[in-house]
Amino acid sequence: MSKVKYYYDPDTLSYRKIEAQKSRKYRNVGLFLLGSLLFGLLGLTILLNTSFINTPKELSLEREVRNYELQFELLNRKMVQIEQVLANIEDRDNNIYRLYFEANPIPDEQRRAGFGGVNRYKSLEGFNNSEMISATTKRMDIIQKQMVIQSKSLDEITILAEEKEKLLAAIPAIQPINNEDLKRMASGYGWRSDPFTKARKMHWGMDFSSPKGSPIYATGDGKVTRADSNSSGYGNHIRIDHGFGYVSLYAHMSKYNVTAGRKVKRGDLIGFVGSTGRSEAPHLHYEIFKDGERINPINFYYGSLTAEEFENMLKTATQENQSLD
């Protein structure tokens, strides 16, 4: 029930009831509604400009940011795994592959070096998550650089492996005459008695006594550079250039099975035992050169002899007996 208001009338000395005018009612209602509207708009504006209430667009952007942060976190976890795998490969590369092929290891400072000079990540600055984005991008760049360095290292190892394989095939590593064709290992490398002058003389190779016509085999891969009798004392002889500074020589042959310029493989038949040139009896005089210097062939039979056979050959080769040439 609405309150009834009165006013005092001095003329009649009595209280009279105040009659409200309709226009004033409407005006009061209008002012109230207008005030309420203004206060409502003001409050809404304040709320919209605070963190208490976000617009749908802001909520969508927040969800996107959280999603990006999650993706960056997952990316960083994957990078940790990649770094661990890469570190394992680098360790094997330095301590196994490069060591085996006699290549210098790559220093960690070189593998994990950053990028100097201009700021490569300036364009990523000025954002809410600039530090995280820049750190992740820099980390990815370093991983990429490590992978490039490792790839180049493996390319180098591949080349070294191919060269190593060629070297192992080229080194004169077998006995030039089969054991079943040998009468004996007549004389070794070193000072020996000359069969013609009886004087003590340096013997630069090894003599294998064998019946005339016994097969002679190439001791390593290479190219025949000479097959003639134009060197004093050697008679019919063959020289094979194996590369890597190695040359093998086979002297006093009865005949050739190859000609100069031909490429041969280890174990190929190249000629037959004879006694041509300065020779006392049928045998093969065998020499090895390394970078132009004669070296002892006794160290190059690991590809065809057992340990016992090598020990017997070593014992015979070290005796100062008479050579056959």
Side-chain angles (χ1 to χ4, degrees):
M1 182 177 179
S2 60
K3 292 182 179 181
V4 179
K5 295 183 179 181
Y6 297 88
Y7 73 95
Y8 180 74
D9 187 357
D11 293 333
T12 60
L13 302 176
S14 62
Y15 289 95
R16 292 183 178 275
K17 186 178 179 181
I18 299 175
E19 299 290 340
Q21 297 180 0
K22 288 185 178 181
S23 59
R24 181 174 293 178
K25 280 186 178 181
Y26 294 142
R27 185 186 65 185
N28 291 340
V29 170
L31 289 173
F32 174 77
L33 292 175
L34 179 61
S36 299
L37 179 62
L38 290 175
F39 277 110
L41 290 174
L42 179 62
L44 182 62
T45 302
I46 293 172
L47 288 174
L48 290 176
N49 285 279
T50 62
S51 58
F52 295 108
I53 297 179
N54 292 324
T55 63
K57 185 177 182 180
E58 287 175 332
L59 292 173
S60 176
L61 289 174
E62 283 184 2
R63 283 194 297 270
E64 286 186 21
V65 169
R66 286 196 296 271
N67 183 56
Y68 285 138
E69 289 175 347
L70 176 61
Q71 294 300 322
F72 269 100
E73 178 64 26
L74 294 175
L75 180 61
N76 275 285
R77 291 181 184 178
K78 289 180 180 179
M79 284 194 291
V80 169
Q81 295 176 344
I82 293 172
E83 287 169 339
Q84 290 173 346
V85 173
L86 195 54
N88 181 264
I89 295 173
E90 289 172 347
D91 180 66
R92 283 184 291 166
D93 184 46
N94 273 350
N95 298 311
I96 299 178
Y97 309 141
R98 299 186 70 83
L99 185 64
Y100 177 77
F101 292 107
E102 300 175 357
N104 292 326
I106 300 174
D108 287 343
E109 296 78 12
Q110 182 180 342
R111 289 184 183 272
R112 291 167 177 75
F115 301 89
V118 296
N119 184 3
R120 297 166 56 93
Y121 313 104
K122 190 172 183 179
S123 61
L124 302 177
E125 296 176 355
F127 302 99
N128 290 336
N129 297 303
S130 289
E131 186 176 346
M132 178 183 67
I133 297 172
S134 297
T136 302
T137 306
K138 183 177 180 180
R139 195 172 175 185
M140 289 180 65
D141 287 345
I142 292 175
I143 290 175
Q144 185 178 17
K145 182 178 180 181
Q146 287 179 255
M147 293 178 70
V148 169
I149 292 173
Q150 184 58 51
S151 177
K152 289 181 178 179
S153 176
L154 292 176
D155 289 341
E156 182 184 353
I157 292 300
T158 301
I159 295 172
L160 291 172
E162 291 173 355
E163 290 298 312
K164 192 85 169 183
E165 186 177 357
K166 291 177 184 176
L167 171 62
L168 293 175
I171 291 177
I174 65 171
Q175 191 173 272
I177 295 180
N178 287 333
N179 280 333
E180 56 266 24
D181 297 323
L182 283 177
K183 288 184 178 178
R184 61 193 173 93
M185 213 288 290
S187 183
Y189 178 95
W191 291 96
R192 299 291 183 268
S193 175
D194 187 277
F196 300 100
T197 66
K198 306 305 178 183
R200 195 164 180 264
K201 181 182 176 183
M202 183 64 185
H203 189 242
W204 296 104
M206 297 184 73
D207 290 342
F208 296 89
S209 178
S210 184
K212 183 179 178 180
S214 298
I216 300 172
Y217 303 99
T219 55
D221 295 0
K223 182 179 181 181
V224 178
T225 57
R226 292 185 63 172
D228 56 54
S229 58
N230 298 328
S231 287
S232 176
Y234 288 129
N236 296 331
H237 77 290
I238 285 175
R239 300 186 194 218
I240 299 176
D241 186 348
H242 302 279
F244 305 97
Y246 290 98
V247 173
S248 58
L249 182 150
Y250 313 77
H252 310 305
M253 303 171 74
S254 60
K255 60 179 180 178
Y256 313 111
N257 193 55
V258 293
T259 56
R262 177 175 168 180
K263 291 184 178 180
V264 294
K265 294 287 187 182
R266 180 182 292 151
D268 284 354
L269 176 65
I270 60 173
F272 302 90
V273 170
S275 188
T276 57
R278 193 175 185 274
S279 172
E280 188 180 56
H283 74 287
L284 170 67
H285 174 80
Y286 176 63
E287 294 183 12
I288 293 179
F289 297 78
K290 178 67 170 75
D291 298 325
E293 300 291 332
R294 292 182 176 96
I295 56 178
N296 194 344
I298 195 69
N299 300 313
F300 291 85
Y301 297 122
Y302 60 83
S304 60
L305 300 179
T306 64
E308 185 179 356
E309 289 171 338
F310 181 78
E311 186 177 354
N312 292 333
M313 175 181 282
L314 184 61
K315 186 183 298 183
T316 305
T318 54
Q319 295 175 358
E320 281 205 30
N321 54 5
Q322 178 178 290
S323 65
L324 294 176
D325 49 33

